[in-house]
Every structure is written in C-alpha cells, then in structure tokens.
Amino acid sequence: MNILEKIKAIEEEIARTQKNKATEHHLGLLKAKLAKLRRAMLAPKKSGGAGYDIKKTGDATVSIVGFPSVGKSTLLNALTGAKSKTGAYDFTTLSTIPGGLIYKGAEIQVLDLPGIIQGAKDGKGRGREVIGVARKSDLLLILIDPFALWQHKIILEELHACGIRVNESPPNIVIEKKSTGGITAVWTCRQKGVSINEAQGVLQEYGIHNANIIFHEPGSVEKLIDALEKNRAYIPAITVLTKADLVSARGREEIKKQIGEYIPVSALNGEGVEELKEKIFNITEFIRIYTKDDFGKVADKPLVLKKGAKVEDVCRRIHTSWAENFRYALVWGKSVRFPGQRVGLEHTLEDGDVLRIVAK
C-alpha cells in the first residue's frame, strides 16, 4: 500500500468513525497519522522544480494562486506590466512567471504560478511543486472566477493539506516534555475545543508519553498537530475576484456571502487594480525610512523595510560596516518623543521616520 492509499484509508476511517468519548483517543491518533503521511508526501521532492522555483528578489514576494485559465497572467500584467502569456484555454502558464511591482518605494516580486487543480496536494498537475513555491511567499493572491466560486474552497483545502495556513497565526499552544506523569493539559481560556483523550492520542502517535500541554487558546486536534509539526507556513492572503465588470452589484453581495471579503478586479476597465496594490502594500507591512546626510539633506528615495525594523536594520541595509561603526542616530518622526531625538541601534522605527546615522 503506497502513501496515497494509506491516506485515503485513514480519511475513510475518520469519516465513518462517530465521535464520542470512547473514540476521541483513536480519532486523535488517526489525525496525527494522517498529518505524518502528508508530511512524508511533501518531503521527498524539493519545492519548485524546473521552471517552477524562482529566486526571491525585492522587499517581498507575492504569489498568484488559482485554477488554470482563471486570469492569473492577466492580473500579473495589470499589476506589474510584465508580458506573461495569456489565453482563453487551460494551462497557458507552464512555468512560474515573475514580475516586479514598484509601489510607494517598495519593490515587490509578483509570481504568476501555474494553475493548481483539485488533487494538487496528491501531486496532480505537479501541484505539490507549485504549492511548494507558494509556501515561500510573503502574501498570496487567491484568484477566483465569479462563475466558479467552488474553486475558492478547493484552493484553500489544497493549500491547507500542503501545510499552508491562510490568514492564520501559529497556535498558541505550549508542549512541555517531562520524564514522568503521563500526558496532562491545562487550559488558560474558557473553551477547550479539544479533549484530553484526543490530545493523548495525538501525542502518542508522535512518541510523546509524558508532557504537559498548555492551551492559551481554544484548541483543536489540527492546531495541536500544527504545534507539534512546526513546519507550517502562516501566510496572509487576499481573495481577488476576476471579471468584475461582468458581475452586478447584487451579484457581488451574494458572492461576498459565499466566499467572504474580496477585491473585485477587471482587466477590461482596470477596476480594482490600484486598490489591490494598496492592499498588498499594507498587508506586507512595509515602512519607509528616509535617511538624512551630514548636511541635512533628506534622501528622495526611502529605504523600505518590514514593520518592526530597528535602527540596526537600516545600518545593515546600507552596509554592515555602518552597524559596526555606529555611535548613535538622530530620528525625526512618529517613533520618537521629539524631533531629532538621539537613539541607539535597538530603537524601533515607524513609517515615514527620517534618520541620521552618526558613526564613530
């Protein structure tokens, strides 16, 4: 029995097993077995492949994910001015096509990935390799045809099965191994979400027989497994609806009820393209830092860094020697109490700050 057959057998057993107190331990064990098999499927092959994997460049990488012939190449062209081939037939894009989006000083790499289909997680259409490239992204654009909304659920399921957690944060679950005492659990929240029997079944499959689990949020078997696996990719995503010019206002409201928030985009009239650029910039959480020279002149072009960047990050972006020879910095902007405040390497900057670095 190969891995796919084992996965199918376990999924069928989970589906036919009625959950109750007597079966909780067994279900937890089965779900842990399933997660380990999924991991084994992904491990042997490198993410990407010939024509798939692309070296990351710029300040952030955004991947366009969707079914074949949904308009990914058209969206790439609209965002970046790239010349990705388009066509009204499936599998036009057979390799990853990169494009560059310059927005508010940020250099953003946008990748047009080959289309994924149902069963991508099992290797159909080289889906695992394509999703492997998506795992390295800072942001996903999930492209949906307004006349095929079922694609949205399928894409999320395929990404989830390959270890991508869309618009989620890592589980706030602590697992403390110990030498004796078996498996115990503590919940610091009101709702448990997972029973001690399920938790014991999961940890048993991972060879852990003595541990204390601290749930700082309502748990689930899946979240507990994620905490154990430690190989999940937590990536923000924007749902983008193509062909918006063909959907009425009432139709758009109905679509929102089915798939949640989205940005409508039309290649025909350019609707939504600027809004999408702004959303990409905001979600990737860039800040722009302007440097000032010894003569008081502020640079026209900002340095673009991720939110939470410190003065040391700016120094190393310019040159490593700047951090090594750093004496102090003067900052004007929202991150300081008064203009020209003197700060050190550990000072956290905010968007729009002006920085003058003084060397030894």
Side-chain angles (χ1 to χ4, degrees), residues 192-250:
K192 292 186 175 181
V194 60
S195 71
I196 186 64
N197 288 335
E198 290 174 306
Q200 288 172 339
V202 170
L203 265 66
Q204 178 184 319
E205 178 59 28
Y206 282 89
I208 302 173
H209 304 287
N210 299 287
N212 186 39
I213 313 169
I214 306 172
F215 292 92
H216 293 294
E217 63 178 41
S220 68
V221 171
E222 288 74 19
K223 286 186 176 182
L224 178 57
I225 290 171
D226 285 352
L228 286 160
E229 285 285 334
K230 297 180 180 179
N231 66 346
R232 308 312 194 199
Y234 297 88
I235 308 176
I238 302 170
T239 299
V240 180
L241 193 77
T242 64
K243 306 172 186 175
D245 53 293
L246 302 179
V247 184
S248 66
R250 183 175 179 180

Side-chain angles (χ1 to χ4, degrees), residues 48-49 51-57 96-98 109 111 113 133 136:
Y52 283 67
D53 213 356
I54 295 288
K55 182 180 179 180
K56 294 183 72 172
T57 62
T96 301
I97 307 298
Q109 182 185 50
L111 303 180
L113 300 186
V133 178
K136 300 177 183 179

Side-chain angles (χ1 to χ4, degrees), residues 25-170:
H25 183 278
H26 181 60
L27 282 170
L29 190 146
L30 286 176
K31 290 178 180 179
K33 284 182 181 289
L34 186 61
K36 290 170 73 175
L37 287 171
R38 285 284 180 204
R39 186 213 313 152
M41 280 194 69
L42 294 172
K45 292 187 178 182
K46 295 180 181 179
S47 62
Y52 283 67
D53 213 356
I54 295 288
K55 182 180 179 180
K56 294 183 72 172
T57 62
D59 301 306
T61 297
V62 177
S63 289
I64 306 175
V65 178
F67 270 64
S69 196
V70 76
K72 297 185 300 299
S73 299
T74 302
L75 180 61
L76 176 73
N77 296 344
L79 286 173
T80 69
K83 301 300 180 183
S84 185
K85 186 178 179 182
T86 61
Y89 45 90
D90 289 351
F91 300 103
T92 306
T93 301
L94 299 177
S95 60
T96 301
I97 307 298
L101 167 63
I102 308 296
Y103 190 75
K104 292 186 175 180
E107 297 179 6
I108 303 168
Q109 182 185 50
V110 183
L111 303 180
D112 171 15
L113 300 186
I116 62 172
I117 58 176
Q118 188 168 13
K121 62 182 180 295
D122 301 323
K124 290 184 180 179
R126 294 191 67 182
R128 290 202 301 271
E129 290 94 324
V130 175
I131 294 176
V133 178
R135 278 181 64 98
K136 300 177 183 179
S137 307
D138 298 293
L139 174 67
L140 300 178
L141 302 183
I142 300 177
L143 207 54
I144 302 297
D145 188 312
F147 307 107
L149 297 181
W150 53 269
Q151 294 176 356
H152 188 252
K153 181 181 178 183
I154 298 298
I155 290 171
L156 293 180
E157 289 174 349
E158 298 295 328
L159 295 175
H160 191 276
C162 289
I164 296 178
R165 301 294 177 258
V166 173
N167 292 330
E168 292 184 24
S169 300

Side-chain angles (χ1 to χ4, degrees), residues 316-345:
R316 296 196 180 280
R317 173 67 70 87
I318 298 170
H319 196 278
T320 53
S321 63
W322 283 62
E324 295 165 1
N325 298 317
F326 179 85
R327 186 180 174 193
Y328 63 87
L330 302 175
V331 177
W332 292 259
K334 293 181 288 186
S335 71
V336 290
R337 293 190 300 273
F338 54 86
Q341 182 177 329
R342 182 168 169 166
V343 300
L345 285 172

